[in-house]
Amino acid sequence: MLPWRRLLRPLAVLALAAAALTPTTAQASTAPAPSSGWNNWSCKPSAAHPRPVVLVHGTFGNSVDNWLGLAPYLVHRGYCVYSLDYGQLPGVPFFHGLGPIDKSAGQLDVFVDRVLAATGAAETDIIGHSQGGMMPNYYLKFLGGADKVRALVGIAPDNHGTTLLGLTKLLPYFPGAEDLISEATPGLADQIAGSAFLTKLNAGGDTVPGVEYTVIATRFDQVVTPYRSQFLDGPNVRNVVLQDLCPVDLSEHVAIGLTDRIAWHEAVNALDPANAERTTCASVFDFD
């Protein structure tokens, strides 16, 4: 096992604890992301890329940090790209995605409407990392999002929750720990495999008609475990394992969303399947 993978395991646990114990004394920042090519509200989709792309960050992420790599990658390829902050908690700046996930889906609903109004497009595509790849499913199934979204691309999404390498199974042995997480950071509790939120989300099937789903997972994921729990089941689904595209790609849960150009290349294929190009290890050098 690689040393950096050993380090990430306790860091994930510390992140859960830190979020649960964060003081709530001030309002979280709601400043919009800078428009370094994205969040450009005057952008008009082209005939080649007629749908704007909405980027949905993961837990502890935000609309800027999660997308410093992928957003410019998409803009360079001619897409109108937008990102939002969601799941903010009072007194917790910068680290978002911690509020109740059904409420976060409502924030996505409002944001998508704003994007469609600004661009004049009839539909959008969504790319999400981690929770950001799972949360839009609630929007699609329960908030009318299926009529406004053509494709959902989840990069390491926790579609069926996570055991966090089995650590969530230890919560019953620590009295009060689960209640503390649920009360202080409900967005974390919602992502535990078997939670009431996930039971509702996945009841009646993983997908809805009219939306094309792509899941891009890595075998080295140490946060959403087991990694195959990320996969969706349905006739309109494509589940992809990163190492099937490039066997030497060692990206784990964070890197697959933040820095992995092979995953990004495959995401672009999902946005524009008619012009898809085979994703391989060489895709890391695709600068066109």
Side-chain angles (χ1 to χ4, degrees):
M1 182 181 295
L2 297 176
W4 53 265
R5 290 185 63 203
R6 292 196 194 101
L7 288 172
L8 282 167
R9 292 185 179 186
L11 284 175
V13 181
L14 289 173
L16 284 170
L21 298 175
T22 299
T24 56
T25 56
Q27 184 61 40
S29 171
T30 57
S35 56
S36 300
W38 87 94
N39 281 338
N40 174 7
W41 294 97
S42 63
C43 184
K44 297 300 179 184
S46 65
H49 303 302
R51 293 176 302 277
V53 179
V54 173
L55 302 178
V56 187
H57 65 75
T59 309
F60 300 114
N62 62 57
S63 61
V64 179
D65 291 352
N66 212 141
W67 306 120
L68 291 172
L70 179 55
Y73 182 93
L74 294 170
V75 169
H76 179 70
R77 285 155 180 77
Y79 290 91
C80 293
V81 182
Y82 303 88
S83 61
L84 77 156
D85 288 305
Y86 71 87
Q88 301 95 326
L89 291 180
V92 186
F94 311 119
F95 301 103
H96 303 321
L98 299 173
I101 297 180
D102 58 344
K103 305 300 182 187
S104 294
Q107 292 178 274
L108 177 61
D109 184 13
V110 172
F111 190 81
V112 168
D113 283 351
R114 182 186 175 198
V115 168
L116 294 179
T119 60
E123 291 182 304
T124 186
D125 291 329
I126 295 176
I127 301 177
H129 179 212
S130 192
Q131 180 191 163
M134 173 270 289
M135 176 269 278
N137 285 321
Y138 192 96
Y139 166 58
L140 298 177
K141 292 184 79 171
F142 301 110
L143 302 180
D147 293 333
K148 305 171 187 176
V149 176
R150 189 206 66 89
L152 170 60
V153 182
I155 300 176
D158 52 345
N159 286 315
H160 298 97
T162 178
T163 67
L164 207 62
L165 291 168
L167 290 172
T168 58
K169 296 180 180 179
L170 298 177
L171 288 174
Y173 297 97
F174 296 89
E178 191 164 4
D179 290 341
L180 178 61
I181 293 173
S182 297
E183 293 171 9
T185 55
L188 292 178
D190 285 345
Q191 294 178 76
I192 296 174
S195 70
F197 171 82
L198 288 168
T199 299
K200 175 182 177 181
L201 176 63
N202 294 309
D206 290 348
T207 65
V208 295
V211 180
E212 297 298 320
Y213 298 81
T214 300
V215 173
I216 306 173
T218 171
R219 288 193 177 96
F220 300 121
D221 200 310
Q222 81 293 354
V223 174
V224 181
T225 57
Y227 78 89
R228 288 189 177 276
S229 69
Q230 301 173 28
F231 293 164
L232 295 171
D233 184 35
N236 45 346
V237 173
R238 181 165 185 260
N239 294 309
V240 181
V241 178
L242 190 61
Q243 286 71 35
D244 290 342
L245 305 175
C246 177
V248 298
D249 193 321
L250 300 180
S251 288
E252 37 61 66
H253 183 78
V254 176
I256 191 176
L258 271 62
T259 63
D260 198 298
R261 295 176 64 89
I262 296 170
W264 300 348
H265 187 276
E266 190 64 12
V268 168
N269 281 345
L271 299 182
D272 188 11
N275 295 295
E277 298 179 356
R278 182 168 174 249
T279 302
T280 67
C281 295
S283 299
V284 73
F285 302 111
D286 178 15
F287 296 102
D288 294 336

